[in-house]
C-alpha cells in the first residue's frame, strides 16, 4: 500500500501541479486543501489581507475536511495524495496520526523553489484571472516564509520545483517506489 503521499511547501511551489501529475500517472485519490476551500467557500470569497479572521475560519474548515477525507480514503484501504502547505505542526501531527492509526506509510514531498523563481511565479499568478493566488507580492511571500514550519517526517524528499517537471516527477516516483 502506498499509504499517504503528502505534498507540502510554501504557496506557489508547485505542490498541486506535481500532485495532479502523480494522480495522472497512478490510480490514487488526490485531495488538495485549496480545492476543498474553493469548493466549500466559492460563494464567500475573502480578502486574505483585510479579513484575517474569516480567512482563518475558512482555512480551518478546509484543513479539517482534508483530514476527514484522507482518513476515510485510508480506512477504505486505498492510498491517498494530500496537498497543502502543511505550515503548522498540528497539521503534521494530524497526518502522522492517520498514518499510525491505519498502519500505512507516510511519505512527504517537500516542494521548494529559489526566490527569483518565486518572484516570477507571483507575477504570473497576478496576471492569471482564473487561478489567483492569495500571495500578491514577494513581500507577502517572505512573510509567509518567515513563519513557515517545514514538515519534519522521517520519510521526506526535498524537490526543487524550478527543475523541469519530468525531473521532479522522476525523483518523486523513485522516492515512492524505494520505500
Amino acid at each position: 500500500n502506498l499509504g499517504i503521499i503528502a505534498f507540502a511547501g510554501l504557496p506557489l511551489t508547485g505542490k498541486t501541479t506535481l500532485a495532479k501529475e502523480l494522480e495522472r500517472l497512478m490510480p490514487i485519490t488526490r485531495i488538495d486543501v485549496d480545492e476543498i476551500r474553493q469548493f466549500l467557500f466559492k460563494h464567500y470569497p475573502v480578502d486574505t489581507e483585510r479579513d484575517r479572521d474569516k480567512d482563518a475560519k475558512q482555512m480551518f474548515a478546509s484543513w479539517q475536511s482534508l483530514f476527514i477525507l484522507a482518513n476515510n480514503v485510508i480506512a477504505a484501504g486505498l492510498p491517498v495524495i494530500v496537498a497543502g502547505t502543511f505550515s503548522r505542526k498540528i497539521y503534521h501531527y494530524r497526518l502522522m496520526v492517520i498514518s499510525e492509526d491505519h498502519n500505512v506509510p507516510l511519505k512527504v514531498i517537500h516542494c521548494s523553489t529559489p526566490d527569483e523563481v518565486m518572484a516570477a511565479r507571483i507575477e504570473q499568478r497576478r496576471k492569471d484571472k482564473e487561478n489567483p493566488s492569495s500571495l500578491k507580492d514577494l513581500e507577502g511571500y517572505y512573510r509567509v516564509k518567515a513563519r513557515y514550519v517545514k514538515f519534519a517526517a522521517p520519510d521526506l524528499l526535498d524537490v526543487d520545483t524550478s527543475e523541469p517537471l519530468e525531473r521532479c516527477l522522476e525523483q518523486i516516483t523513485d522516492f515512492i517506489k524505494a520505500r
Side-chain angles (χ1 to χ4, degrees), residues 17-87:
T17 299
L18 289 171
K20 285 180 178 178
E21 284 297 314
L22 189 60
E23 176 189 36
R24 188 181 60 76
L25 294 174
M26 37 184 24
I28 189 167
T29 300
R30 180 182 58 83
I31 305 168
D32 186 299
V33 74
D34 292 334
E35 291 173 6
I36 290 171
R37 182 177 185 170
Q38 173 62 24
F39 175 77
L40 293 174
F41 303 107
K42 63 185 165 197
H43 301 296
Y44 308 99
V46 172
D47 182 330
T48 57
E49 292 296 316
R50 288 193 213 150
D51 196 346
R52 292 186 186 263
D53 185 54
K54 189 181 284 184
D55 177 53
K57 288 175 181 175
Q58 286 187 5
M59 283 311 302
F60 179 78
S62 301
W63 279 105
Q64 293 297 90
S65 299
L66 179 137
F67 294 122
I68 290 167
L69 291 168
N71 187 68
N72 288 340
V73 171
I74 291 296
L78 302 171
V80 67
I81 296 170
V82 292
T85 57
F86 289 95
S87 60

